[in-house]
Amino acid sequence: MRVIAHRFPTTGPSDVSGLATQLDAGELRAQDILAIIGKTEGNGGLNDFTRELATRALGDLLAPQLGCAPAEIEDRVVLSFSGGTEGVTSPHLLVLARTGEPLTTPRAEKRLAVATGYTRAFEPWEVGYRPMIEETARVVRELMRELKIDDPADVHLAQIKGAIPDADEEQRAAAEAEGRPLRSDMVGSRAASALGVALALDEVAEDSIGDRVVCRDWSLYSTRASVSAKPGLLRSEITLLANSAWWDGDLVIEHGVMRDIIDLDAIRAVLARLGLEAPGQLAPEQTARLVGLFAKSDADPRNTIRGRRHTMWTDADISDMRYSRCVVAALLAGVTGETAVYVSTRAEHQGPLGGGPVAIIARAE
Amino acid sequence: MRVIAHRFPTTGPSDVSGLATQLDAGELRAQDILAIIGKTEGNGGLNDFTRELATRALGDLLAPQLGCAPAEIEDRVVLSFSGGTEGVTSPHLLVLARTGEPLTTPRAEKRLAVATGYTRAFEPWEVGYRPMIEETARVVRELMRELKIDDPADVHLAQIKGAIPDADEEQRAAAEAEGRPLRSDMVGSRAASALGVALALDEVAEDSIGDRVVCRDWSLYSTRASVSAKPGLLRSEITLLANSAWWDGDLVIEHGVMRDIIDLDAIRAVLARLGLEAPGQLAPEQTARLVGLFAKSDADPRNTIRGRRHTMWTDADISDMRYSRCVVAALLAGVTGETAVYVSTRAEHQGPLGGGPVAIIARAE
Amino acid sequence: MRVIAHRFPTTGPSDVSGLATQLDAGELRAQDILAIIGKTEGNGGLNDFTRELATRALGDLLAPQLGCAPAEIEDRVVLSFSGGTEGVTSPHLLVLARTGEPLTTPRAEKRLAVATGYTRAFEPWEVGYRPMIEETARVVRELMRELKIDDPADVHLAQIKGAIPDADEEQRAAAEAEGRPLRSDMVGSRAASALGVALALDEVAEDSIGDRVVCRDWSLYSTRASVSAKPGLLRSEITLLANSAWWDGDLVIEHGVMRDIIDLDAIRAVLARLGLEAPGQLAPEQTARLVGLFAKSDADPRNTIRGRRHTMWTDADISDMRYSRCVVAALLAGVTGETAVYVSTRAEHQGPLGGGPVAIIARAE
Amino acid sequence: MRVIAHRFPTTGPSDVSGLATQLDAGELRAQDILAIIGKTEGNGGLNDFTRELATRALGDLLAPQLGCAPAEIEDRVVLSFSGGTEGVTSPHLLVLARTGEPLTTPRAEKRLAVATGYTRAFEPWEVGYRPMIEETARVVRELMRELKIDDPADVHLAQIKGAIPDADEEQRAAAEAEGRPLRSDMVGSRAASALGVALALDEVAEDSIGDRVVCRDWSLYSTRASVSAKPGLLRSEITLLANSAWWDGDLVIEHGVMRDIIDLDAIRAVLARLGLEAPGQLAPEQTARLVGLFAKSDADPRNTIRGRRHTMWTDADISDMRYSRCVVAALLAGVTGETAVYVSTRAEHQGPLGGGPVAIIARAE
């Protein structure tokens, strides 16, 4: 059993030609595809329709081969698109597929293992609260077992699309009245999902978790959760990436955490763990080994970085989200020489306040 | 004779409190100030009034001490503000002053030397053409002599505010008719000024320069010109920064050129020449030695970086200028640990196409 | 023969549910659809993918019924989407269909007649020049004959998607060398197409038309051309709307021209010609008679309106296009009480400089 | 006693040349100036420094004549600048001055009367709550007495700059703990100030006012309050405009309320009360009688206008504030032919939800 990963640069949100060619060439089978993670060139906001366009294009391409309707594609393959290709970010798709038979005996060096799963559907009042934290943790643990991961340290990325079930005014009022206002929004969904990962990976103590710490106690966080949230989504979609001795192939993954968005050395540390050491930027042959680069970004809400003021929160013309994505993507590209990076923003409980996790997939030497 | 450099973080475009304190404390004399270079938190475009606000605030502060009217301040001190503090960029002012007596004998290690000068007033039809190139070169050479610089290699930054004399419709029509359309705009002023620096510093051959190469032959450029242009400005303002054996003090400057906006190693090379070597980000004590960081940025007009597509030119919501400044500032901050950086955009003939010059002032060990 | 027009509000660019319902109910046949004109909520710029998304959604809906591939939909139905629903503009689709048999005798009151056609494919060097003007005029005249229109005054709207064939560097250089630089861009395509309409409708004299007047002589314009342009489109798509005695039904169309973007009375004049008179805003029952509202907008390039300065061209954060669309849509909505309006921007030779055409379709009393 | 009103178009935020000329010509005395209300071409957000620049320019102009320091100007004259000249809005300053002796007997027709006043300084926990409502009402009533206004119906505009005293974390926590979270922000300050005006003008019943209705019960509002708020301002600044029989001159003011931002007839009704009737746009000679046009705008938070969806709240690139200002300014300009209008946004309790007050000053026939 091995993970096959293909990265395709795109000429636009609906460009699936790269994947189509691979499928036609038989180098990849639609049924083997577990997840497709991509950056599309929208604004990343509520009116960013590039994600829907990309989903539609992939549905039209894959549905016939999967024997489902294009609209059902998201039930067959986890699609995780992040809008916003600020600065040097190059739009692309990363296709993760699983192929081959399970190993009968563990191999010496661990290799990239990927599994996807779904939480149960959430009620609006569960989002942002303990129920979502625990259900998310449950699924993460389940996926670890599926991948035969005993040591949480082998998990390097939990890519999540968090649920945001719609709530009506009545539900909002009722929750308000109970002194337990609804958190069924982007912030609540991202925050609780991330804490769920932290719980499953023993990054936080069971008893430190509760409704009150969500978006309050920033000392609690996961270094491996990367969560975006989608209004209307009823259940969360989770893609777990880890290294396992029971998986074959030539891919490995490592992670680290940036303490702030100029923490260049955190990126270098991850590369070093992948055997990609370089004083400055990677050499071209090293860059060529990179398959996937993931990071979460945040404009420090305290309005300073290393004690100096930044203006990302006081700019009324450009969102802090676009700036922080642009900054972290620039750092990743500067250190690796690769601009096809996946940076998603707003990192509640994903890394320390003002910082965020970074994970990199590379081909083993 | 020595250069004193003070960098002041600002709480807004009109914040001159840091400088005021220094002046009150007698640590700096208004008369000694040669130039003030700063980043203000506007959009950097035509309707960015933060530069005017900063100029006004400095005029009100310095004019009484210089015995001139606030409105005359720009005739006494070169003020060079760049709007746009994208991403991690921290708004600040860098004050460059000259003090002390000329050395009678040259010293062993060269030190930072600064001189400012002005070109003659330009006619609209000279801007962007050979006359502006040559006049700019003349002033740069003049300033080199003033600083006792024989070797052009000792010049590391020519910070220029380029002239853009207004032209009326008649003049435009006449120039058009002559087949020599006016270039009295931002592009023409920046391009010709940069080529003037390249000419003075022997970066381009005398005979390679002509009207036709401007914004055509991108192989001709200066690695030390940093030019912005200001509509309505009649003469160009030039601040030359070099290392000279005839200057004292503890400051030195070095420069380099980024081949593209993710050329992180170009920045590291400049730091190395300053004795600031580090595998990744500078250590805090090294960062503390930095006084001024300057760079020009550009979103590669070929729409690719290292062969990968970027979307900076096709984004209808956010200008390429804001993106490229954000990217280069992020790289500078990532490598140095310092966010008070001066990055200005649109670098015609300032470094290669898609790249740009970088210069750093630091305290000598 | 009659025109059926249905307007569907949309919940997003891919929402075709309204049309789907009508088709299912058999109230409309896919084969009868001539054109679909809509406003989608993108930015209206190069990276506005809402138009592609809407096209894709309509292709998936209509192709099966038309017996073609979804990708071929644009060869069967003229799709004209304008991105940008600034201000009060409400996203919507207007479907224009033709049904019934030709009348054997003309009727007393003329009724809305619609025909669509295509120019031949253009070469890059024809766009923005006389060849495009004449070919566009030829097709408009052809469509008039098809609709049995003898009097150009009966034509009230020529909705055009202008061609912009791609050109390579060689072609650009060659054209430059000939002193006939390529105009194969948005501006050239819109301008020449509009002049073509003006020529066909006798709004400009044959001999006043030439390569030199394009984007030069603004006194030459059409009051009925509404042109947008699409990079990569090889032939222009034209939808002609007129009133004809040979067409039946309950719809009529009238037009007028706004002399500037606050010319409210121009809108009222059009309504009056439709029998919709009101001192201020239309009464609800009058509003209910409106079926389609079309206008072109422009931020006056002279930077003033009625002698007063505006700042639409000096705003570095928001495009003049978004402002002018927002303004004209607000006026249309204010006068009619209807926010589902179609305002498209940049109106070269479409109405006078700083103004633009307005056309309204309503149900006859 | 009479009000003199001068409107000056500006070439930029610091352009005070028009006023300077009047002062030099002796047509106006600095000491007589009560308030200066203006639109400046910034973004209207936190990083809009055009208001500060305009204030600074006016301080430099007026301080010498008032015998105070430029920085003290805001204690002598009420300065109310609104950033954001979207669409057709033309940047300008409206100077309101008072001159002459009090009348000994009331005159037949009432004339414009203006008075300015200040509330006491507010504590952070008072803002957005009853104390601010009542103190605002107290000052409004005080100003009415000062102007000899017995009938609240004679008050047509209460232009307010609302206080927003800074609060520290401790205060925030304490207030939170008390279940009375701080509202010392833009929203709270605008809302409570508007309700204060409503209370003083008998637009709401004394007993209907309380902490709970603020930003909850939208049926409570003033049709004459126009409030903006300024972070750091300790006391609110109030300029009351009314018609009084005890005031002389040739100016009158009337007001109305737009039920939504396309309510064109509400504007026409105000004009009619000023004797400016016209079926559509005012005739030039009528337009010439206009001196000041004021309105508040809001993008309906219910995401619809007249039952149709708008996208002002889901646009991640452009703020709803810029859109709603653009729309209302366009309507005002369309109906009056005047683009020098003052439209400010976010109208909590200023007119009905999704609508806002409009007030117009004109010269009497």
Side-chain angles (χ1 to χ4, degrees):
Chain A
M1 187 105 67
R2 52 163 56 215
V3 175
I4 306 179
H6 290 285
R7 184 175 51 201
F8 305 105
T10 58
T11 58
S14 63
D15 176 18
V16 294
S17 57
L19 175 56
T21 306
Q22 293 267 339
L23 291 166
D24 295 346
E27 290 172 30
L28 188 67
R29 297 189 321 154
Q31 310 87 289
D32 295 336
I33 299 176
L34 292 170
I36 301 179
I37 303 172
K39 285 299 292 185
T40 58
E41 54 208 284
N43 60 29
L46 277 177
N47 65 325
D48 180 349
F49 298 97
T50 59
R51 294 167 294 203
E52 180 182 355
L53 180 55
T55 300
R56 204 164 179 121
L58 284 167
D60 290 345
L61 172 67
L62 299 175
Q65 308 189 29
L66 295 176
C68 67
E72 294 163 11
I73 187 66
E74 291 186 88
D75 299 325
R76 302 301 198 84
V77 177
V78 170
L79 300 182
S80 180
F81 300 121
S82 166
T85 55
E86 293 80 10
V88 298
T89 308
S90 192
H92 66 284
L93 296 178
L94 179 67
V95 177
L96 297 172
R98 175 173 45 188
T99 180
E101 295 313 305
L103 295 182
T104 49
T105 56
R107 45 171 297 156
E109 297 115 6
K110 296 168 177 171
R111 289 293 184 246
L112 176 64
V114 177
T116 61
Y118 301 84
T119 63
R120 62 173 171 77
F122 289 110
E123 295 295 339
W125 50 83
E126 295 180 308
V127 175
Y129 287 98
R130 186 163 191 120
M132 186 182 221
I133 297 174
E134 287 172 343
E135 169 64 4
T136 304
R138 185 189 66 74
V139 176
V140 169
R141 292 197 186 101
E142 188 178 282
L143 294 174
M144 285 172 65
R145 277 190 297 277
E146 180 183 329
L147 296 176
K148 295 193 181 172
I149 304 291
D150 314 312
D151 182 358
D154 283 329
V155 176
H156 296 286
L157 180 62
Q159 178 74 19
I160 299 179
K161 201 191 300 175
I164 307 181
D166 298 326
D168 56 35
E169 267 325 298
E170 205 171 289
Q171 293 172 312
R172 295 198 179 288
E176 195 93 17
E178 284 172 34
R180 204 166 164 295
L182 289 192
R183 296 175 180 171
S184 192
D185 54 24
M186 302 261 192
V187 174
S189 182
R190 285 188 303 251
S193 301
L195 286 172
V197 175
L199 187 58
L201 302 183
D202 301 340
E203 297 182 286
V204 299
E206 177 76 40
D207 59 12
S208 68
I209 292 298
D211 294 342
R212 284 197 61 279
V213 304
V214 178
C215 292
R216 278 273 170 68
D217 182 349
W218 297 118
S219 72
L220 304 171
Y221 59 80
S222 171
T223 62
R224 287 159 277 178
S226 171
V227 189
S228 57
K230 186 179 177 186
L233 190 66
L234 299 181
R235 58 181 190 174
S236 298
E237 305 172 0
I238 304 177
T239 304
L240 200 71
L241 294 88
N243 290 330
S244 166
W246 292 90
W247 283 61
D248 211 337
D250 66 342
L251 300 173
V252 283
I253 182 170
E254 289 291 340
H255 82 280
V257 59
M258 299 173 73
R259 65 187 170 100
D260 56 31
I261 59 174
I262 63 170
D263 186 2
L264 178 139
D265 289 330
I267 302 169
R268 297 181 62 250
V270 176
L271 291 169
R273 285 192 282 280
L274 289 164
L276 293 164
E277 300 205 55
Q281 190 174 83
L282 295 184
E285 60 275 17
Q286 292 175 304
T287 304
R289 282 180 46 202
L290 301 176
V291 174
L293 300 99
F294 310 86
K296 288 292 290 190
S297 70
D298 249 342
D300 198 306
R302 292 160 296 192
N303 293 311
T304 60
I305 295 173
R306 309 255 173 122
R308 295 218 191 278
R309 184 171 72 102
H310 68 77
T311 61
M312 290 182 271
W313 285 102
T314 53
D315 188 326
D317 301 306
I318 299 179
S319 161
D320 63 284
M321 298 192 276
R322 310 205 72 171
Y323 280 136
S324 72
R325 280 194 299 255
C326 189
V327 168
V328 172
L331 248 58
L332 277 167
V335 173
T336 65
E338 174 61 68
T339 63
V341 297
Y342 180 96
V343 180
S344 151
T345 194
R346 292 292 172 87
E348 301 86 352
H349 297 294
Q350 299 153 67
L353 195 61
V358 54
I360 299 176
I361 299 173
R363 304 203 181 285
E365 280 138 314
Chain B
M1 186 103 72
R2 53 162 56 216
V3 175
I4 307 180
H6 290 286
R7 183 175 51 201
F8 304 105
T10 58
T11 59
S14 64
D15 175 19
V16 295
S17 57
L19 175 55
T21 305
Q22 292 267 339
L23 292 166
D24 295 347
E27 288 171 33
L28 186 67
R29 299 188 321 152
Q31 310 89 286
D32 295 337
I33 300 175
L34 291 169
I36 301 179
I37 302 172
K39 283 299 292 185
T40 58
E41 54 208 284
N43 60 29
L46 277 177
N47 65 326
D48 180 350
F49 298 96
T50 59
R51 295 166 294 203
E52 179 181 356
L53 181 54
T55 299
R56 205 167 179 120
L58 284 167
D60 290 345
L61 172 67
L62 299 175
Q65 308 189 30
L66 296 175
C68 68
E72 294 163 10
I73 187 67
E74 289 186 272
D75 299 327
R76 303 301 199 82
V77 178
V78 171
L79 301 181
S80 180
F81 300 120
S82 167
T85 54
E86 292 81 11
V88 298
T89 308
S90 193
H92 66 283
L93 296 177
L94 178 68
V95 178
L96 296 172
R98 174 171 48 189
T99 179
E101 296 312 306
L103 296 183
T104 49
T105 56
R107 47 170 294 157
E109 298 113 7
K110 295 168 178 172
R111 288 293 183 247
L112 177 64
V114 177
T116 61
Y118 301 84
T119 63
R120 62 173 171 78
F122 290 109
E123 295 295 341
W125 50 82
E126 294 178 313
V127 176
Y129 287 98
R130 188 165 187 115
M132 186 181 222
I133 297 173
E134 287 172 342
E135 170 63 4
T136 303
R138 185 190 65 74
V139 176
V140 169
R141 293 197 186 98
E142 188 179 282
L143 294 174
M144 284 172 66
R145 279 190 296 278
E146 181 183 329
L147 297 176
K148 296 193 179 171
I149 305 291
D150 314 312
D151 182 357
D154 284 329
V155 176
H156 297 285
L157 181 62
Q159 177 76 19
I160 299 181
K161 202 191 301 176
I164 307 180
D166 298 327
D168 56 34
E169 267 326 297
E170 207 171 286
Q171 291 172 312
R172 295 197 180 287
E176 195 94 17
E178 284 173 34
R180 208 167 161 294
L182 290 192
R183 297 175 179 170
S184 193
D185 54 24
M186 302 262 190
V187 174
S189 182
R190 286 189 302 250
S193 301
L195 286 172
V197 175
L199 186 59
L201 302 183
D202 302 339
E203 297 181 285
V204 299
E206 177 76 41
D207 58 14
S208 69
I209 291 299
D211 294 342
R212 285 198 61 278
V213 304
V214 179
C215 293
R216 278 273 171 68
D217 182 350
W218 299 116
S219 72
L220 303 171
Y221 58 80
S222 171
T223 62
R224 288 159 277 177
S226 170
V227 190
S228 57
K230 187 180 175 185
L233 190 65
L234 300 180
R235 59 181 190 174
S236 298
E237 305 172 359
I238 304 177
T239 302
L240 199 72
L241 293 88
N243 290 329
S244 166
W246 293 91
W247 283 62
D248 213 339
D250 65 343
L251 301 173
V252 284
I253 182 170
E254 289 292 342
H255 83 281
V257 60
M258 298 173 74
R259 66 186 169 99
D260 55 32
I261 59 176
I262 63 169
D263 187 1
L264 178 138
D265 288 330
I267 302 170
R268 297 182 61 250
V270 176
L271 291 169
R273 285 193 283 280
L274 289 164
L276 293 164
E277 301 205 53
Q281 191 175 81
L282 295 184
E285 61 275 15
Q286 291 175 304
T287 305
R289 280 180 47 202
L290 302 176
V291 174
L293 300 100
F294 310 86
K296 287 292 291 191
S297 71
D298 249 343
D300 197 305
R302 290 159 299 192
N303 293 313
T304 60
I305 294 173
R306 309 258 175 119
R308 293 220 191 280
R309 184 170 71 103
H310 67 76
T311 61
M312 291 183 271
W313 287 101
T314 51
D315 188 327
D317 301 306
I318 299 179
S319 162
D320 64 283
M321 298 193 274
R322 311 205 71 173
Y323 280 136
S324 72
R325 279 194 299 255
C326 188
V327 168
V328 173
L331 248 59
L332 277 168
V335 174
T336 65
E338 174 62 70
T339 63
V341 298
Y342 180 97
V343 179
S344 151
T345 192
R346 293 291 171 86
E348 300 88 352
H349 297 295
Q350 299 154 66
L353 194 61
V358 53
I360 300 176
I361 300 174
R363 305 205 179 284
E365 280 137 313
Chain C
M1 187 105 67
R2 53 161 58 216
V3 175
I4 306 178
H6 290 284
R7 183 175 51 201
F8 304 104
T10 58
T11 59
S14 63
D15 176 19
V16 295
S17 56
L19 174 56
T21 305
Q22 293 267 338
L23 292 167
D24 295 346
E27 289 171 31
L28 188 66
R29 298 190 319 155
Q31 309 88 288
D32 294 337
I33 299 176
L34 292 170
I36 301 179
I37 302 172
K39 284 299 292 185
T40 57
E41 53 207 287
N43 60 29
L46 276 177
N47 65 326
D48 180 349
F49 298 96
T50 58
R51 294 167 295 203
E52 180 182 355
L53 180 55
T55 300
R56 207 167 176 119
L58 284 167
D60 289 345
L61 173 67
L62 299 176
Q65 308 190 29
L66 295 175
C68 67
E72 294 163 11
I73 187 66
E74 290 187 90
D75 299 327
R76 302 301 200 82
V77 178
V78 170
L79 301 182
S80 180
F81 300 121
S82 166
T85 54
E86 292 81 9
V88 298
T89 308
S90 192
H92 67 283
L93 296 178
L94 178 68
V95 177
L96 296 172
R98 175 173 45 190
T99 179
E101 294 314 305
L103 294 183
T104 48
T105 56
R107 44 170 298 156
E109 298 116 6
K110 296 168 177 172
R111 289 294 184 247
L112 177 63
V114 177
T116 60
Y118 301 85
T119 63
R120 61 173 171 77
F122 290 110
E123 295 294 340
W125 50 84
E126 295 179 310
V127 176
Y129 288 97
R130 187 164 188 117
M132 186 181 222
I133 297 174
E134 287 172 343
E135 169 64 5
T136 303
R138 185 188 66 73
V139 176
V140 170
R141 293 198 186 99
E142 189 179 282
L143 293 174
M144 284 172 65
R145 276 190 298 278
E146 180 183 330
L147 297 176
K148 296 192 181 172
I149 304 291
D150 315 311
D151 182 357
D154 282 330
V155 176
H156 296 286
L157 180 62
Q159 178 74 19
I160 299 180
K161 201 191 299 175
I164 308 180
D166 298 327
D168 57 35
E169 268 325 298
E170 206 171 287
Q171 292 172 312
R172 295 198 179 288
E176 194 95 16
E178 284 172 34
R180 204 166 163 295
L182 289 193
R183 295 175 180 172
S184 193
D185 54 24
M186 303 259 192
V187 174
S189 182
R190 285 188 303 250
S193 301
L195 286 172
V197 175
L199 186 58
L201 302 183
D202 301 341
E203 297 182 286
V204 299
E206 177 75 40
D207 59 13
S208 69
I209 291 298
D211 294 343
R212 284 198 60 276
V213 305
V214 179
C215 292
R216 277 273 170 69
D217 183 350
W218 298 118
S219 71
L220 304 171
Y221 58 80
S222 172
T223 62
R224 288 160 276 179
S226 170
V227 189
S228 56
K230 185 179 175 186
L233 190 65
L234 299 180
R235 59 182 189 173
S236 298
E237 305 172 359
I238 304 178
T239 304
L240 200 71
L241 294 88
N243 290 329
S244 166
W246 293 91
W247 282 61
D248 212 338
D250 66 342
L251 301 173
V252 284
I253 182 171
E254 290 291 340
H255 82 280
V257 60
M258 299 173 74
R259 65 186 170 100
D260 56 32
I261 58 174
I262 62 170
D263 187 2
L264 178 138
D265 288 331
I267 301 169
R268 296 182 63 251
V270 176
L271 291 169
R273 283 193 283 280
L274 289 164
L276 293 164
E277 300 204 55
Q281 189 174 81
L282 295 185
E285 60 275 17
Q286 292 175 304
T287 304
R289 282 180 46 203
L290 302 176
V291 173
L293 299 100
F294 310 86
K296 288 291 292 189
S297 71
D298 250 343
D300 197 306
R302 291 159 296 191
N303 293 311
T304 59
I305 295 173
R306 309 256 173 120
R308 294 219 191 279
R309 182 169 73 101
H310 68 76
T311 62
M312 290 182 271
W313 286 102
T314 52
D315 189 325
D317 301 306
I318 299 179
S319 161
D320 64 284
M321 297 192 275
R322 310 205 72 171
Y323 280 136
S324 72
R325 278 195 299 255
C326 189
V327 168
V328 172
L331 247 58
L332 277 168
V335 173
T336 65
E338 175 60 69
T339 62
V341 298
Y342 180 97
V343 179
S344 151
T345 194
R346 291 292 172 85
E348 300 87 353
H349 298 294
Q350 298 153 67
L353 195 60
V358 53
I360 300 176
I361 299 173
R363 303 202 182 286
E365 280 138 316
Chain D
M1 187 104 69
R2 52 161 57 215
V3 176
I4 306 179
H6 290 286
R7 183 176 52 203
F8 305 105
T10 58
T11 59
S14 64
D15 175 19
V16 295
S17 57
L19 175 55
T21 305
Q22 293 267 338
L23 292 166
D24 295 347
E27 289 171 31
L28 186 67
R29 300 188 319 153
Q31 310 88 287
D32 295 337
I33 299 175
L34 292 170
I36 301 179
I37 302 171
K39 283 300 293 184
T40 58
E41 54 208 285
N43 60 28
L46 277 177
N47 66 326
D48 180 349
F49 298 97
T50 60
R51 295 166 293 202
E52 179 181 357
L53 181 54
T55 299
R56 206 166 178 121
L58 284 167
D60 290 346
L61 173 67
L62 299 175
Q65 307 189 31
L66 296 175
C68 67
E72 295 163 10
I73 187 66
E74 289 187 270
D75 299 327
R76 302 301 199 82
V77 177
V78 171
L79 301 182
S80 181
F81 300 121
S82 167
T85 55
E86 293 81 10
V88 297
T89 308
S90 192
H92 66 282
L93 296 178
L94 179 67
V95 178
L96 296 171
R98 174 171 47 189
T99 179
E101 295 313 305
L103 295 183
T104 50
T105 56
R107 47 169 296 156
E109 298 114 8
K110 294 167 179 175
R111 287 296 185 243
L112 176 64
V114 177
T116 61
Y118 301 84
T119 63
R120 62 173 170 77
F122 289 109
E123 295 294 341
W125 51 83
E126 294 179 312
V127 175
Y129 287 98
R130 187 162 188 118
M132 186 181 223
I133 297 173
E134 286 172 342
E135 169 63 5
T136 303
R138 185 189 66 72
V139 176
V140 170
R141 292 196 187 100
E142 187 178 284
L143 294 174
M144 285 172 65
R145 278 191 297 277
E146 180 183 330
L147 296 176
K148 294 194 181 169
I149 305 290
D150 314 311
D151 182 358
D154 283 329
V155 176
H156 296 286
L157 181 61
Q159 177 75 20
I160 299 180
K161 202 191 300 173
I164 308 180
D166 298 328
D168 56 34
E169 267 326 296
E170 205 171 291
Q171 292 172 312
R172 295 199 178 286
E176 194 95 18
E178 284 172 36
R180 207 167 162 293
L182 289 193
R183 296 175 179 170
S184 194
D185 54 25
M186 302 262 191
V187 174
S189 182
R190 285 189 302 252
S193 300
L195 286 172
V197 175
L199 186 59
L201 302 182
D202 302 338
E203 296 181 285
V204 299
E206 177 77 41
D207 59 14
S208 67
I209 292 298
D211 294 343
R212 286 199 59 275
V213 304
V214 179
C215 292
R216 277 273 171 69
D217 183 349
W218 299 117
S219 72
L220 304 171
Y221 58 82
S222 171
T223 62
R224 289 159 277 178
S226 171
V227 190
S228 57
K230 187 180 176 186
L233 190 65
L234 300 180
R235 60 182 188 173
S236 299
E237 305 172 0
I238 304 176
T239 303
L240 200 72
L241 294 89
N243 290 328
S244 166
W246 294 91
W247 283 62
D248 212 340
D250 66 342
L251 300 174
V252 283
I253 182 170
E254 289 292 342
H255 83 281
V257 59
M258 298 172 74
R259 66 186 169 100
D260 56 33
I261 60 176
I262 64 169
D263 187 2
L264 177 138
D265 289 330
I267 302 169
R268 297 182 61 250
V270 176
L271 291 170
R273 285 193 282 280
L274 289 164
L276 292 164
E277 300 204 54
Q281 190 175 81
L282 295 184
E285 60 275 16
Q286 292 175 304
T287 304
R289 281 178 48 201
L290 302 176
V291 173
L293 299 99
F294 311 86
K296 288 290 291 190
S297 72
D298 249 342
D300 197 305
R302 290 159 299 193
N303 293 312
T304 59
I305 295 174
R306 308 258 174 118
R308 293 219 191 279
R309 185 171 71 103
H310 67 77
T311 61
M312 292 183 270
W313 287 102
T314 52
D315 188 326
D317 301 306
I318 298 180
S319 162
D320 64 283
M321 298 193 276
R322 310 205 73 173
Y323 280 135
S324 72
R325 279 194 301 256
C326 189
V327 168
V328 173
L331 248 59
L332 277 167
V335 173
T336 65
E338 174 61 69
T339 63
V341 298
Y342 180 97
V343 179
S344 152
T345 193
R346 292 290 171 88
E348 300 87 352
H349 297 295
Q350 300 153 66
L353 194 61
V358 53
I360 300 176
I361 299 174
R363 304 204 181 284
E365 280 139 314

